[in-house]
Amino acid sequence: MGLDKIWVFAETDGAAVATISLEMLAKAREIAGTVEVFMGCDGEDYATELGDHGAEAVYCTGDLDGALQGVSVASAVANAIQRGDVDAPDAFMLGTTQNGRDVAARLSVKLQSPVITNIVDLVLDGDDLLGSEPIFGGTTDVMTKNISDNPGIFLVRPKSFTAQAVGAAEAMLEDLEVGDLGAVGAARIIDTFAEESQGPKLDEANIVVSGGRGLGAKEAYAMIEELAGSLGAAPGASRAIVDAGWVPYSYQVGQTGKVVKPTVYIACGISGATQHLVGMKGSKHIIAINSDSEAPIFAVADLGIVGDVHKVVPKLIETLSD
Amino acid sequence: MKIVVCVKQIPDPADPGALDPESKTLVRDQKLILDESDSYGVEMALQLADANGEGSVHLVSMAPDNQIAGLRTALAMGADSATLVSDEALKGSDALSTARVLAAAIARSEPDLVLAATESSDGYTGTVPEMMAEFLELPSVTFAKAVTVDGNVAKVKRQTEAGYDDVHCPLPAVVSVTAGVVEPRYPSFKGIMSAKSKPLDQLGVSDLGIEPGSVGWAGGNQEIVRIADAPSRAAGEVFEDEGDAHERIVAFLEDLKVL
Ligand SMILES: Cc1cc2nc3c(=O)[nH]c(=O)nc-3n(C[C@H](O)[C@H](O)[C@H](O)COP(=O)(O)OP(=O)(O)OC[C@H]3O[C@@H](n4cnc5c(N)ncnc54)[C@H](O)[C@@H]3O)c2cc1C
Ligand SMILES: Cc1cc2nc3c(=O)[nH]c(=O)nc-3n(C[C@H](O)[C@H](O)[C@H](O)COP(=O)(O)OP(=O)(O)OC[C@H]3O[C@@H](n4cnc5c(N)ncnc54)[C@H](O)[C@@H]3O)c2cc1C
């Protein structure tokens, strides 16, 4: 059994297809006979890679010239389906990213399709596709299905599946026409800024060292970066210190930030709120340093140190540099 | 400049309730409070209204059982007026129903700017603001970490995976803000007192011209079919630091051969 067709929303960093998109393609291949991709940019540079990951066709809007993906892509897809240019898929999969959420939300209204969010697994139950969402900080799994007559829209969390190339041929490029959206499409990106740190990327690093409010002050984050540097790790953060302006948002690990699954995650002065845990609980090994022996982070730590970060971390850096 | 802020009233996150295995809904009979995530939108609106000189801030909330405590908190912070939509027909609403109702309530005040949080603390689908924009046929910018209004244009720093984009969006528009966009004020005593006499409209779905069967359980497009305990992660060893914790960590890392 399985579904006839799934559409996967693909995103890029401007050079390569985003990992989350390739992860979704791997899952989509398992559950549907035909897997096609839609994207809010020129697709030409990506057709080979997407084809290699199992996409048969890539529907692209072409360059959006600064317009936002949410409204542009959703309008183009809904128009194409409603005009009968393409057959509607049985389901859409989009990543839980800024643009993924925007596209999903606009598409949901246009097609009157439900959005099933925070999905970490998709399971076929006869002809039904069930999305599995962890709630209550990951202690309970909820399986949800679409009961409307329209395709379900699944928002998938990064690192839920493993990307895998299948060596298939280049995907066929197809056009998605955005058309003139008028006022509703009038927002424009004027400039783009990168705030990423040096060294390995947070969501790809083998080791991640994160700091939280327990560091006490912005200046103390320097020791997190130093420790990360000496381990070849990526520095990360809890939302508390992103909100406080100590580090940029691109460092944030958790529900609203990045999902990381490194070999080792080292949490320094982080309490372990459920929204932080959902972003790092999948790490192979977790080390936590926290002065409060009751901190919830210890419930997921393989090695827990009840201690002061200001004492433990400098000594750790010193030992590692010897 | 008329600003509408969406404020969700939620159960106290310190007491999250439980899923009823029979009805597969959240059991939440406690009193609702202002979602902390929305205190940023309220503060942002108050600051933008102030900067504008002739700004007003109106609140819109959809909540069960005519609950208004969270709205009172936001009024006490300084918002001018509020609309609550509460109706038996709304029980069981998904994000799409919620957005439909909020959009209808917002449209009544013909705002220049609609603010919401990026995601709520309890349902956190993060889709309602963009859905509202679609119902209202307005442009939108989500994930705003800074917002200014310059004439008829909202200038937004929008968080991206790698950093942020500067986005210009003509008004009227919907903008969803992140926590940390501004520092929410605490309601003053005077604010708390005056909140009690501020205008607060209460509406049902028929007042909004919405067919009761199109929202709530009846209009539901999704169904929870199964609930199960997730596999839990076994806790490891916890040590008190006695000056040698760094050695334990190094030994642990050496064991894993990551050094
Ligand atoms: C909708 C929503 C989304 C969210 N998304 C995210 C997200 O993506 N990521 C995220 O991280 N959070 C997120 N949060 C916030 C989350 O709920 C917590 O508030 C946050 O994770 C707390 O950060 P923290 O652990 O750094 O701070 P705190 O909770 O304040 O913890 C600080 C810890 O440091 C310890 N400490 C203090 N001093 C020392 C010392 N000298 N040495 C060692 N330890 C010390 C304390 O014991 C404490 O455990 C979200 C919240 C909401 C409502
Ligand atoms: C654990 C859990 C999982 C859920 N999963 C899904 C799902 O996958 N799909 C789905 O469609 N529904 C889901 N729901 C139901 C959904 O949360 C509700 O429909 C809710 O009314 C709106 O969604 P939200 O809180 O997720 O909004 P979000 O989109 O996260 O909210 C963003 C912002 O919109 C504004 N806003 C949202 N709701 C209101 C309101 N009632 N009044 C005023 N302002 C508001 C606030 O500013 C809020 O911060 C889930 C609920 C729970 C508790």
Side-chain angles (χ1 to χ4, degrees):
Chain A
M1 289 298 299
L3 305 183
D4 288 335
K5 183 164 81 172
I6 289 192
W7 269 31
V8 173
F9 179 56
E11 300 182 67
T12 78
D13 62 2
V17 179
T19 308
I20 169 74
S21 310
L22 301 179
E23 290 165 2
M24 289 190 293
L25 281 172
K27 190 69 192 182
R29 284 198 315 265
E30 267 177 40
I31 49 188
T34 303
V35 177
E36 295 174 347
V37 157
F38 62 116
M39 54 199 311
C41 62
D42 256 330
E44 220 158 309
D45 293 347
Y46 310 107
T48 310
E49 191 178 6
L50 289 167
D52 194 22
H53 284 261
E56 290 173 33
V58 181
Y59 288 83
C60 343
T61 58
D63 183 38
L64 292 175
D65 203 17
L68 297 179
Q69 297 211 5
V71 69
S72 311
V73 174
S75 301
V77 169
N79 283 340
I81 291 173
Q82 280 153 5
R83 274 198 309 254
D85 297 350
V86 298
D87 289 331
D90 299 303
F92 293 95
M93 286 169 77
L94 302 92
T96 306
T97 60
Q98 281 80 356
N99 288 331
R101 282 188 184 184
D102 283 4
V103 174
R106 292 259 181 191
L107 201 54
S108 165
V109 177
K110 286 183 181 293
L111 302 180
Q112 290 298 300
S113 289
V115 178
I116 300 172
T117 60
N118 286 300
I119 294 310
V120 298
D121 199 8
L122 283 161
V123 184
L124 272 175
D125 183 14
D127 280 342
D128 289 328
L129 187 57
L130 308 184
S132 170
E133 171 185 10
I135 64 165
F136 298 150
T139 53
T140 305
D141 286 331
V142 172
M143 305 279 261
T144 307
K145 73 172 179 189
N146 167 23
I147 52 168
S148 77
D149 297 331
N150 308 316
I153 302 174
F154 295 85
L155 271 172
V156 178
R157 291 189 64 82
K159 299 235 164 41
S160 299
F161 312 115
T162 307
Q164 187 142 38
V166 286
E170 182 170 325
M172 217 160 43
L173 283 177
E174 304 279 357
D175 285 334
L176 271 182
E177 194 196 323
V178 179
D180 180 11
L181 300 178
V184 70
R188 286 289 175 279
I189 299 170
I190 305 298
D191 216 339
T192 291
F193 300 86
E195 292 182 319
E196 274 180 312
S197 56
Q198 304 270 307
K201 280 176 77 174
L202 180 54
D203 48 3
E204 289 167 10
N206 193 34
I207 306 179
V208 172
V209 184
S210 284
R213 189 144 49 196
L215 292 171
K218 180 175 182 172
E219 296 65 45
Y221 192 80
M223 74 185 176
I224 298 299
E225 283 182 310
E226 201 181 337
L227 176 57
S230 59
L231 288 167
S238 71
R239 193 182 86 175
I241 74 168
V242 171
D243 288 351
W246 297 2
V247 294
Y249 165 71
S250 54
Y251 285 54
Q252 184 173 319
V253 172
Q255 177 180 302
T256 329
K258 299 221 159 66
V259 177
V260 301
K261 285 192 177 175
T263 306
V264 187
Y265 187 86
I266 308 180
C268 307
I270 292 178
S271 60
T274 57
Q275 297 94 346
H276 188 79
L277 297 184
V278 296
M280 43 67 76
K281 244 173 70 167
S283 306
K284 272 217 193 74
H285 304 277
I286 296 171
I287 302 176
I289 307 167
N290 194 304
S291 52
D292 173 9
S293 63
E294 303 283 302
I297 191 78
F298 288 129
V300 299
D302 302 293
L303 175 61
I305 303 293
V306 180
D308 183 349
V309 284
H310 297 280
K311 294 196 178 128
V312 180
V313 176
K315 279 198 240 167
L316 188 54
I317 294 170
E318 207 188 299
T319 316
L320 289 168
S321 67
D322 286 346
Chain B
M1 182 171 60
K2 270 202 230 163
I3 307 175
V4 166
V5 188
C6 297
V7 298
K8 189 170 184 186
Q9 304 179 85
I10 63 167
D12 190 338
D15 181 9
L19 273 181
D20 176 5
E22 286 295 306
S23 66
K24 301 194 173 77
T25 53
L26 265 185
V27 185
R28 43 162 77 170
D29 46 10
Q30 320 101 310
K31 190 173 137 191
L32 304 184
I33 61 170
L34 173 66
D35 184 350
E36 197 240 4
S37 299
D38 280 322
S39 61
Y40 302 93
V42 174
E43 179 64 38
M44 188 79 245
L46 294 172
Q47 291 186 14
L48 290 174
D50 240 11
N52 179 267
E54 284 171 66
S56 66
V57 176
H58 181 70
L59 310 169
V60 171
S61 185
M62 169 179 139
D65 309 325
N66 297 307
Q67 297 233 31
I68 54 166
L71 279 174
R72 288 275 186 238
T73 305
L75 288 169
M77 286 173 71
D80 299 298
S81 54
T83 298
L84 172 76
V85 188
S86 197
D87 201 310
E88 275 298 312
L90 292 171
K91 293 239 157 89
S93 285
D94 61 5
L96 191 55
S97 288
T98 305
R100 181 194 303 276
V101 169
L102 291 174
I106 291 164
R108 290 159 64 102
S109 38
E110 298 183 2
D112 300 297
L113 178 62
V114 180
L115 294 178
T118 296
E119 57 185 13
S120 70
S121 301
D122 66 336
Y124 57 86
T125 65
T127 54
V128 168
E130 187 78 5
M131 287 176 176
M132 292 191 309
E134 182 64 25
F135 279 116
L136 293 163
E137 293 176 43
L138 291 180
S140 55
V141 188
T142 53
F143 280 89
K145 65 167 197 163
V147 187
T148 54
V149 171
D150 185 356
N152 199 32
V153 176
K155 297 187 170 172
V156 174
K157 289 194 195 314
R158 177 178 189 251
Q159 284 177 352
T160 61
E161 297 286 300
Y164 66 92
D165 288 345
D166 272 339
V167 179
H168 289 186
C169 183
L171 300 180
V174 176
V175 174
S176 76
V177 300
T178 60
V181 65
V182 280
E183 185 64 40
R185 70 193 67 182
Y186 289 104
S188 64
F189 179 68
K190 202 170 133 233
I192 294 169
M193 294 314 290
S194 68
K196 292 182 179 144
S197 57
K198 286 181 176 170
L200 197 160
D201 268 355
Q202 301 206 22
L203 306 175
V205 288
S206 55
D207 299 316
L208 296 170
I210 291 176
E211 181 58 43
S214 69
V215 291
W217 290 122
N221 290 310
Q222 52 192 300
E223 184 181 288
I224 294 181
V225 292
R226 218 176 294 154
I227 297 172
D229 285 342
S232 64
R233 208 190 150 96
E237 291 182 293
V238 179
F239 300 95
E240 194 86 36
D241 176 31
E242 279 161 4
D244 60 349
H246 58 289
E247 287 162 14
R248 279 189 197 279
I249 295 174
V250 170
F252 186 85
L253 294 173
E254 275 171 347
D255 267 359
L256 296 175
K257 303 193 168 38
V258 292
L259 289 184

